[in-house]
Structure formats: C-alpha cells, structure tokens
Amino acid sequence: MAQGEPPFKRVLLKVTGEAFCRAGNQGIDFEAVKHLAQEIADGKRLGVDIAVVVGGGNIFRGSVAHSKGMDRVQADNMGMLATMINGLALQSALEGLGLETRMLTAIAIPQLAEPYVRRRAVRHLEKGRVVILAGGTGNPYFTTDTTASLRAMEIGAEVILKATKVDGIYDADPMKVSSARKFTELKFIDVLKGNLKVMDAAAISLCMENNVAIIVFNLTVPGNISRVLSGEKIGTIVREG
Ligand code: UDP
C-alpha cells in the first residue's frame, strides 16, 4: 500500500435500520438519513468502493411480528420490503449529494431497482457507484447481518464495516453497565463463545470461515466512516488471530 492510500479497496458497510430513525423511534428521520449519506459521501471521496447493506428494523422486524402471532415467512417478507424502503431513502439522499448510485434487490422489484446479480454489483462498484443492497438475502429466517457477510464475500470486500450507535464491542452493554470494558480487537471464536452482541452467529461464522474481518464502530460520530476507511484504529476489529 502506497503512503496515504486507504488500506481498503472495497468495503461492505452494514447499516442497521436504526440508523434511519431517531434513537428509540421508528420510521424514517430525514436528518438521520442525510447524516448517513454525508458520511458515505465523505468516505467515497477516499476512493474506496462502497457497497451498503441496509437493515429494516426501524420499520419492521419479522421476529417481532412473529412473536405477536404472524406467520414467520410473511413477517420476514415484510421485513425484507422494509429494507427496500430504507434503501430508496438512502439512494435519494446520496444522489442529493451528487453521488452515482445503484440499488440492487434480492427480491425483484424491477420498476424501482435492479435485481441483485453479483457481477452487476461488482461492475457498478468498479465504475465508482455506491451500491445499495436491499431485500436482505431474499430468504426468510435470515437477517441483514448475514446478508452483509454473504454479500461481502460475493463482491470481494476486504472488510465489513458494521455501523452501530456504540464505539465498539464491550463485555457488557455500555448503555447499562458503567464499568463495561471495550475490546479493541477480538477473534471470531471469542465473539461466538462469549455470545457478544456484534452480529448474529450465522453472520460471524460466515466471516470466520472465509476470513473477512469486521470493524464495529460508532456511526453517530461525524467523520467515523472516513476514519475507518483511512485506517484509523477506532472501534473494535474482529478477525482471525
Ligand atoms: N429479513 C429476512 N431475510 C433476510 C434479511 C432480513 O427475512 O435475509 C427480514 C427479517 O424479518 C428482519 C427484517 O428483514 O427482521 C429486517 O432486517 P434486520 O432485522 O436484519 O434489520 P436491522 O436489524 O439491521 O435493522
């Protein structure tokens, strides 16, 4: 890597649905979406390929609806549609900042977005477009965290940037336990054994098997995406050995 060059060529950014609304709220908060788009735009200027997997928890979570009696598959389908709403909101905000984007969905909605085709996603990235990947994996019983792991491997991303509201992985919930200790580095196996709340076990296992690192960082701090992309050591990195 030449001096001053970002350490990554291609990253997969996983953004939870919660980043699209105000803390504790639901739905879409346009200021939150603008913040997210600005962060991505600033990161893009560093010349890194960015694909974004969007969650949908701010609108609909299949597991919650299922716990209230809804058929699981139907509920998860609604959850996947929710990620597409977020994807469209993000696309609009990114385009408002002058970025070229493409949204690809795992469930075809051809009037609104392209269907997800791996080669197409890669081609868009090569052309410098921000690629928004919505609709999860297209299958019920999965999450957008697992989608992020799967897509990272498919498109050859070197790292998953897992954007959260806290500045890394802790041994207890830092919002509730004042003595909670932050890890700067962890192994996949420790995340699985410690049942640490990073991404679900399926997502972690996929990353472990295919050796794709995960950096957990705080998206609410302006400039953090650019910091991570510049190689600044913020948050927690999960990787092999
Ligand atoms: N979902 C799904 N299959 C997938 C990805 C997501 O069925 O491959 C559904 C699931 O119901 C989930 C919802 O979409 O609750 C929203 O995704 P997620 O909960 O991962 O969003 P986030 O927590 O990142 O906001």
Side-chain angles (χ1 to χ4, degrees), residues 100-114:
E100 221 190 311
T101 70
R102 290 291 186 276
M103 179 162 123
L104 278 62
T105 60
I107 294 172
I109 42 164
Q111 282 82 355
L112 303 187
E114 294 178 23

Side-chain angles (χ1 to χ4, degrees), residues 202-223:
I204 298 288
S205 302
L206 259 181
C207 289
M208 183 165 80
E209 278 161 26
N210 297 283
N211 207 10
V212 172
I214 306 166
I215 299 176
V216 180
F217 72 101
N218 189 345
L219 177 70
T220 64
V221 177

Side-chain angles (χ1 to χ4, degrees), residues 14 16-17 55-57 60-62 76 79-80 136-137 139-140 142-144 147:
K14 163 68 211 292
T16 166
F60 201 88
R61 261 185 225 287
D76 279 342
M80 288 187 277
T137 61
N139 302 289
F142 284 91
T143 64
T144 52
T147 311

